[in-house]
Amino acid sequence: MRRLDDLRRFYSILDELARKCVGPRLLSECTGRMEWPKRGIYFFQEAGEVRTDTAIGPRIVRVGTHALSAGSQTTLWNRLSQHRGQAKSGSGNHRGSIFRLLLGTALMDGNEYTIPTWGQGSHAPKDVREKEQPLERLVSKTIGSMPFLWLAVTDAPGPDNRRGYIERNAIALLSNYGKSALDTPSTCWLGHRCNREKVRSSGLWNQNHVEEDYDPTFLEEMERLVSETASTP
């Protein structure tokens, strides 16, 4: 019951964030020319994925942030653009985005792609990348159609910052991995075809933190940050 109540509170906080941001938005429609906070946390939804226990509405399928290493210069938009891929070509680089990598394994299963190099190594020669392009473009199209919200959290880069704290606790709260199933994925959820067991069992496009317990006090921090968020005109 505690986790169910906390999930309801979590989605209530996101509802308030959506109201203030006039969101969610589609990543395919976003550009770097928009006003982005330097740092923040993002929450992705997915068409057809709705909550089954907490209330009527979409469920979150991925939580993420950036700049968790001391000295990192990655901004929120830098990270989102890595997930989105290249606007002009529609391609992308799954070796720079675990979100893209995970989606690609699921899309490969249902679209007759056989790409043994997918997810192999942190770099690949040009000829290998060219063979991967059809799947990269499909990944870009899929991620680009996912609505998302973002919350500004402008603390310094590092493993112990507030962004990392909120990210890991939000993932742990949402995850069904090894826990009672709440807001379960639909039978058609793309993640069922992912080759990573933690994705399939958690109901999230996340691997880290899905097996962990959460600290309920992170919700107080989220509420405070959302209350300080300026409304979009």
Side-chain angles (χ1 to χ4, degrees):
M1 283 299 297
R2 175 62 188 264
R3 180 168 166 243
L4 179 59
D5 289 342
D6 287 340
L7 277 168
R8 287 174 175 148
R9 184 180 177 189
F10 173 83
Y11 278 110
S12 177
I13 296 168
L14 288 190
D15 286 344
E16 176 63 11
L17 178 63
R19 186 188 67 78
K20 285 193 167 187
C21 295
V22 193
R25 297 185 180 180
L26 299 181
L27 192 51
S28 61
E29 299 175 353
C30 295
T31 72
R33 294 186 296 274
M34 297 168 59
E35 290 189 14
W36 297 98
K38 185 173 183 180
R39 301 187 184 97
I41 306 167
Y42 52 83
F43 306 89
F44 274 90
Q45 303 166 359
E46 189 172 348
E49 292 307 303
V50 297
R51 285 133 65 190
T52 56
D53 297 287
T54 53
I56 296 173
R59 73 180 186 90
I60 297 301
V61 298
R62 178 174 172 83
V63 180
T65 189
H66 60 100
L68 293 180
S69 299
S72 173
Q73 298 300 308
T74 303
T75 66
L76 175 62
W77 174 246
N78 288 156
R79 192 56 179 150
L80 288 170
S81 64
Q82 289 172 336
H83 295 326
R84 181 198 62 172
Q86 301 160 11
K88 289 185 178 180
S89 69
S91 187
N93 176 21
H94 73 276
R95 292 179 178 84
S97 163
I98 185 62
F99 192 9
R100 294 183 65 89
L101 188 156
L102 295 172
L103 270 167
T105 69
L107 290 166
M108 206 183 321
D109 178 70
N111 287 278
E112 299 180 357
Y113 288 111
T114 302
I115 303 179
T117 59
W118 191 264
Q120 299 299 309
S122 57
H123 302 281
K126 182 178 179 180
D127 62 318
V128 169
R129 298 196 307 272
E130 287 177 345
K131 293 177 182 178
E132 295 169 346
Q133 290 313 294
L135 184 53
E136 293 278 17
R137 286 191 288 270
L138 183 56
V139 169
S140 294
K141 182 178 179 180
T142 303
I143 291 180
S145 68
M146 290 182 173
F148 75 104
L149 294 165
W150 64 92
L151 175 62
V153 190
T154 55
D155 53 356
D160 299 319
N161 58 34
R162 290 181 298 166
R163 286 177 293 103
Y165 168 70
I166 293 172
E167 179 203 39
R168 64 178 177 267
N169 280 286
I171 291 170
L173 171 61
L174 291 162
S175 170
N176 285 324
Y177 187 87
K179 306 165 190 173
S180 298
L182 295 172
D183 289 337
T184 54
S186 70
T187 56
C188 297
W189 182 48
L190 181 60
H192 293 308
R193 300 204 299 265
C194 181
N195 69 355
R196 308 297 175 92
E197 193 268 337
K198 285 187 175 181
V199 169
R200 299 193 305 270
S201 296
S202 68
L204 301 171
W205 294 107
N206 288 97
Q207 293 190 114
N208 294 335
H209 314 302
V210 297
E211 77 285 3
E212 298 174 11
D213 293 326
Y214 69 94
D215 174 8
T217 59
F218 91 95
L219 294 167
E220 297 174 9
E221 181 74 356
M222 275 190 68
E223 283 179 329
R224 185 185 65 78
L225 289 165
V226 170
S227 71
E228 296 173 354
T229 300
S231 296
T232 301

